[in-house]
């Protein structure tokens, strides 16, 4: 399991299978929440996660594919894209500089 300090997170990628719905909304929400911390947020297909991603957020059903596409990266699986506690935890870790596992 990978981990990263919140203060070291520079790029978060919200990965999805093929849709453009709630995962795009989550990327937009995270972009607004993390802007003041100078964290870049992108939206990509799960099979095209960029190598410079620090953290990958994806639906729990895609977590294994994300790990294969982004080995060694912190993967944050969610059950729902909007309002999931894992997203709240990610934002708090970035704000506090704590540790994020995944």
């Amino acid at each position: 399991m990978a981990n990263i300090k919140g203060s070291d997170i520079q790029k978060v990628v919200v990965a999805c299978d093929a849709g453009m719905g709630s995962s795009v909304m989550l990327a937009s929400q995270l972009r607004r929440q993390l802007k003041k911390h100078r964290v870049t947020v992108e939206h990509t297909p799960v099979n095209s996660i960029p190598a410079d991603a620090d953290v990958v957020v994806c639906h729990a059903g895609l977590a294994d594919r994300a790990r294969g596409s982004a080995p060694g990266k912190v993967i944050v699986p969610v059950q729902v894209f909007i309002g999931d506690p894992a997203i709240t935890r990610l934002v708090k870790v970035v704000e506090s500089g704590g540790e994020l596992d995944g």
Side-chain angles (χ1 to χ4, degrees):
M1 182 180 291
N3 62 14
I4 190 169
K5 287 178 133 181
S7 57
D8 292 336
I9 297 173
Q10 296 179 1
K11 187 173 191 176
V12 174
V13 171
V14 179
C16 70
D17 197 9
M20 293 294 290
S22 54
S23 59
V24 171
M25 290 186 339
L26 173 59
S28 179
Q29 174 188 351
L30 280 173
R31 207 172 282 120
R32 283 190 308 274
Q33 290 177 309
L34 300 177
K35 183 178 182 179
K36 63 184 170 194
H37 299 285
R38 298 181 184 216
V39 175
T40 301
V41 179
E42 292 182 4
H43 181 265
T44 67
V46 71
N47 294 328
S48 302
I49 298 168
D52 62 345
D54 296 309
V55 176
V56 178
V57 177
C58 65
H59 188 273
L62 298 175
D64 287 340
R65 285 175 55 194
R67 286 184 186 94
S69 184
K73 304 296 180 180
V74 173
I75 307 297
V76 177
V78 297
Q79 294 298 321
V80 292
F81 281 106
I82 304 300
D84 194 289
I87 301 302
T88 303
R89 189 173 127 252
L90 168 60
V91 172
K92 285 184 180 180
V93 165
V94 170
E95 291 173 345
S96 70
E99 193 88 9
L100 184 66
D101 302 323

